[in-house]
Coordinates of all heavy atoms in Angstrom, one line a residue:
G1 N -93.8 21.1 -54.6 CA -93.9 21.2 -56.1 C -92.8 20.4 -56.8 O -93.0 20.2 -58.0
R2 N -91.9 20.0 -56.1 CA -90.7 19.2 -56.8 C -91.1 17.9 -57.2 O -91.8 17.1 -56.4 CB -89.5 19.3 -55.9 CG -88.3 18.9 -56.5 CD -87.0 19.1 -55.6 NE -85.8 19.1 -56.4 CZ -84.6 19.3 -55.9 NH1 -84.4 19.3 -54.5 NH2 -83.4 19.3 -56.6
I3 N -90.7 17.4 -58.4 CA -91.0 16.1 -58.9 C -89.8 15.2 -58.3 O -88.6 15.6 -58.5 CB -91.1 16.1 -60.3 CG1 -92.3 16.9 -60.8 CG2 -91.2 14.6 -60.8 CD1 -93.6 16.4 -60.3
M4 N -90.1 14.1 -57.9 CA -89.1 13.2 -57.2 C -88.1 12.7 -58.2 O -88.3 12.6 -59.5 CB -89.8 12.0 -56.5 CG -90.8 11.2 -57.5 SD -89.9 9.9 -58.5 CE -89.6 8.7 -57.3
H5 N -86.9 12.3 -57.7 CA -85.9 11.7 -58.5 C -85.9 10.2 -58.5 O -85.8 9.5 -59.5 CB -84.5 12.2 -57.9 CG -83.3 11.4 -58.6 ND1 -83.0 11.5 -59.9 CD2 -82.5 10.6 -58.0 CE1 -82.0 10.8 -60.2 NE2 -81.6 10.2 -59.0
E6 N -86.1 9.6 -57.3 CA -86.0 8.2 -57.2 C -86.7 7.6 -56.0 O -86.8 8.2 -55.0 CB -84.5 7.8 -57.0 CG -84.2 6.3 -56.7 CD -82.6 6.2 -56.5 OE1 -81.8 7.2 -56.6 OE2 -82.3 4.9 -56.3
M7 N -87.3 6.4 -56.2 CA -88.1 5.7 -55.2 C -87.5 4.3 -55.0 O -87.2 3.7 -56.0 CB -89.5 5.7 -55.6 CG -90.5 4.8 -54.6 SD -92.2 4.9 -55.1 CE -92.2 3.9 -56.6
R8 N -87.4 3.9 -53.7 CA -86.8 2.6 -53.4 C -87.7 1.9 -52.4 O -88.3 2.6 -51.5 CB -85.3 2.7 -52.9 CG -84.4 3.1 -54.0 CD -84.2 2.1 -55.1 NE -83.2 2.5 -56.0 CZ -82.8 1.7 -57.0 NH1 -83.4 0.6 -57.2 NH2 -81.9 2.2 -57.9
R9 N -87.7 0.6 -52.4 CA -88.5 -0.1 -51.5 C -87.8 -1.3 -50.8 O -88.3 -2.1 -50.1 CB -89.8 -0.8 -52.1 CG -90.7 0.3 -52.8 CD -91.8 -0.4 -53.5 NE -91.4 -1.0 -54.8 CZ -92.2 -1.6 -55.7 NH1 -93.5 -1.6 -55.5 NH2 -91.6 -2.1 -56.8
G10 N -86.4 -1.2 -50.9 CA -85.6 -2.2 -50.3 C -85.4 -2.0 -48.8 O -85.8 -1.0 -48.2
P11 N -84.8 -3.0 -48.1 CA -84.7 -3.0 -46.7 C -83.8 -1.8 -46.2 O -83.9 -1.3 -45.0 CB -84.0 -4.3 -46.3 CG -83.5 -4.8 -47.6 CD -84.3 -4.4 -48.7
A12 N -83.0 -1.2 -47.0 CA -82.0 -0.1 -46.6 C -82.4 1.2 -47.3 O -81.5 2.1 -47.4 CB -80.6 -0.5 -46.9
G13 N -83.6 1.3 -47.9 CA -83.9 2.5 -48.6 C -83.8 3.7 -47.8 O -83.4 4.8 -48.2
D14 N -84.4 3.7 -46.6 CA -84.4 4.8 -45.7 C -82.9 5.2 -45.3 O -82.6 6.4 -45.2 CB -85.1 4.5 -44.4 CG -86.6 4.5 -44.6 OD1 -87.0 4.8 -45.7 OD2 -87.3 4.1 -43.6
Q15 N -82.0 4.3 -45.2 CA -80.7 4.6 -44.8 C -79.9 5.3 -46.0 O -79.0 6.1 -45.8 CB -79.9 3.3 -44.4 CG -80.3 2.8 -43.0 CD -81.6 2.0 -43.0 OE1 -82.1 1.7 -44.0 NE2 -82.2 1.9 -41.8
V16 N -80.3 4.9 -47.2 CA -79.6 5.4 -48.4 C -80.2 6.8 -48.8 O -79.5 7.7 -49.1 CB -79.6 4.5 -49.5 CG1 -79.0 5.0 -50.8 CG2 -78.9 3.2 -49.1
L17 N -81.5 6.8 -48.9 CA -82.2 8.0 -49.4 C -82.7 9.0 -48.4 O -83.2 10.1 -48.7 CB -83.4 7.6 -50.3 CG -83.0 6.6 -51.5 CD1 -84.3 6.3 -52.3 CD2 -82.0 7.3 -52.4
G18 N -82.7 8.5 -47.1 CA -83.4 9.3 -46.1 C -84.9 9.1 -46.0 O -85.6 9.7 -45.2
G19 N -85.3 8.3 -46.9 CA -86.8 7.9 -47.0 C -86.9 7.1 -48.2 O -86.0 6.8 -48.9
T20 N -88.2 6.6 -48.5 CA -88.4 5.8 -49.5 C -88.3 6.6 -50.9 O -88.2 6.0 -52.0 CB -89.7 5.0 -49.5 OG1 -90.7 6.1 -49.3 CG2 -89.8 4.1 -48.3
V21 N -88.5 8.0 -50.8 CA -88.5 8.7 -52.0 C -87.5 9.9 -51.8 O -87.3 10.5 -50.8 CB -89.8 9.4 -52.2 CG1 -89.8 10.2 -53.5 CG2 -90.9 8.3 -52.4
Y22 N -86.6 10.1 -52.9 CA -85.5 11.0 -52.8 C -85.8 12.1 -54.0 O -86.3 11.7 -55.1 CB -84.2 10.4 -53.0 CG -83.0 11.4 -53.2 CD1 -82.6 12.2 -52.1 CD2 -82.4 11.6 -54.3 CE1 -81.6 13.1 -52.2 CE2 -81.4 12.5 -54.6 CZ -81.0 13.3 -53.4 OH -80.0 14.2 -53.5
Y23 N -85.7 13.4 -53.7 CA -86.1 14.4 -54.6 C -85.0 15.1 -55.4 O -85.2 16.1 -56.0 CB -87.0 15.4 -53.9 CG -88.3 14.8 -53.6 CD1 -88.5 14.1 -52.4 CD2 -89.5 15.0 -54.4 CE1 -89.7 13.5 -52.0 CE2 -90.7 14.5 -54.0 CZ -90.8 13.7 -52.9 OH -92.1 13.1 -52.5
G24 N -83.7 14.7 -55.2 CA -82.6 15.5 -55.7 C -82.4 15.5 -57.2 O -81.6 14.9 -57.7
S25 N -83.3 16.2 -57.9 CA -83.3 16.3 -59.3 C -83.7 17.8 -59.8 O -84.7 18.3 -59.3 CB -84.3 15.3 -60.0 OG -84.5 15.6 -61.4
A26 N -82.8 18.4 -60.7 CA -83.1 19.7 -61.2 C -84.0 19.7 -62.4 O -84.6 20.7 -62.8 CB -81.9 20.5 -61.5
D27 N -84.1 18.4 -63.1 CA -84.8 18.6 -64.3 C -86.1 17.8 -64.5 O -86.8 18.0 -65.4 CB -83.8 17.9 -65.4 CG -83.1 16.6 -64.9 OD1 -83.5 16.0 -63.9 OD2 -82.1 16.2 -65.6
A28 N -86.3 16.9 -63.4 CA -87.6 16.2 -63.5 C -88.8 17.1 -63.5 O -89.8 16.8 -64.2 CB -87.6 15.2 -62.4
T29 N -88.7 18.2 -62.8 CA -89.9 19.0 -62.6 C -90.3 19.7 -63.9 O -91.4 19.7 -64.3 CB -89.6 20.0 -61.5 OG1 -89.3 19.4 -60.3 CG2 -90.9 20.9 -61.2
P30 N -89.3 20.4 -64.6 CA -89.8 20.9 -66.0 C -90.2 19.8 -67.0 O -91.1 20.0 -67.8 CB -88.6 21.7 -66.4 CG -87.4 21.2 -65.6 CD -87.9 20.8 -64.4
L31 N -89.5 18.7 -66.9 CA -89.9 17.6 -67.8 C -91.3 17.1 -67.6 O -92.0 16.7 -68.5 CB -88.9 16.4 -67.6 CG -87.5 16.6 -68.3 CD1 -86.6 15.5 -67.7 CD2 -87.5 16.6 -69.7
F32 N -91.8 17.2 -66.4 CA -93.1 16.8 -66.0 C -94.1 17.7 -66.8 O -95.1 17.3 -67.5 CB -93.4 17.0 -64.5 CG -94.8 16.7 -64.1 CD1 -95.1 15.5 -63.6 CD2 -95.8 17.7 -64.0 CE1 -96.4 15.1 -63.2 CE2 -97.0 17.4 -63.7 CZ -97.4 16.2 -63.2
L33 N -93.9 19.0 -66.8 CA -94.8 19.9 -67.6 C -94.7 19.7 -69.1 O -95.6 19.7 -69.8 CB -94.3 21.4 -67.2 CG -94.8 21.9 -65.9 CD1 -93.8 22.9 -65.3 CD2 -96.2 22.6 -66.1
M34 N -93.5 19.5 -69.5 CA -93.3 19.3 -70.9 C -94.2 18.0 -71.4 O -94.9 18.1 -72.4 CB -91.9 18.9 -71.3 CG -90.9 20.2 -71.2 SD -89.2 19.7 -71.4 CE -89.2 19.0 -73.0
L35 N -94.0 16.9 -70.6 CA -94.7 15.7 -71.0 C -96.2 15.9 -70.9 O -97.0 15.3 -71.7 CB -94.3 14.6 -70.2 CG -94.8 13.2 -70.5 CD1 -94.6 12.7 -71.9 CD2 -94.4 12.2 -69.5
L36 N -96.7 16.6 -70.0 CA -98.2 16.8 -69.8 C -98.8 17.4 -71.0 O -99.8 16.9 -71.5 CB -98.5 17.6 -68.6 CG -99.9 17.8 -68.3 CD1 -100.7 16.5 -68.1 CD2 -100.1 18.8 -67.0
A37 N -98.2 18.5 -71.5 CA -98.7 19.1 -72.7 C -98.6 18.2 -74.0 O -99.5 18.2 -74.8 CB -98.0 20.4 -73.0
E38 N -97.5 17.5 -74.0 CA -97.3 16.5 -75.2 C -98.3 15.4 -75.1 O -98.8 15.0 -76.2 CB -95.8 15.9 -75.1 CG -95.4 15.2 -76.3 CD -95.1 16.0 -77.5 OE1 -95.4 17.2 -77.5 OE2 -94.8 15.4 -78.6
C39 N -98.7 15.0 -74.0 CA -99.7 13.9 -73.9 C -101.1 14.4 -74.4 O -101.7 13.6 -75.1 CB -99.9 13.5 -72.4 SG -98.6 12.4 -71.8
R40 N -101.4 15.6 -74.2 CA -102.6 16.2 -74.7 C -102.6 16.3 -76.2 O -103.6 15.9 -76.9 CB -102.9 17.6 -74.1 CG -104.2 18.1 -74.6 CD -104.6 19.4 -73.9 NE -105.9 19.9 -74.3 CZ -106.2 20.7 -75.4 NH1 -105.0 21.1 -76.1 NH2 -107.4 21.1 -75.7
R41 N -101.4 16.6 -76.8 CA -101.3 16.7 -78.2 C -101.4 15.2 -78.8 O -102.0 15.1 -79.9 CB -99.9 17.1 -78.6 CG -99.7 18.7 -78.3 CD -98.3 19.1 -78.7 NE -97.8 20.2 -77.9 CZ -96.7 20.1 -77.1 NH1 -96.0 19.0 -77.1 NH2 -96.3 21.1 -76.3
W42 N -101.0 14.2 -78.1 CA -101.1 12.8 -78.6 C -102.5 12.2 -78.2 O -102.7 11.0 -78.5 CB -100.0 12.0 -78.0 CG -98.7 12.2 -78.8 CD1 -97.8 13.3 -78.7 CD2 -98.1 11.4 -79.8 NE1 -96.9 13.1 -79.5 CE2 -96.9 12.0 -80.2 CE3 -98.5 10.1 -80.3 CZ2 -96.1 11.3 -81.1 CZ3 -97.7 9.6 -81.3 CH2 -96.5 10.1 -81.7

């Protein structure tokens, strides 16, 4: 359920992030919900 923090595609992405996608964010997940409802209003 967690929304990702950062995605990388460079040659050393796995060495830096542990994978191409890193999830260490506390705020992206609630912001996802906020934006979804706002999109419907718009």
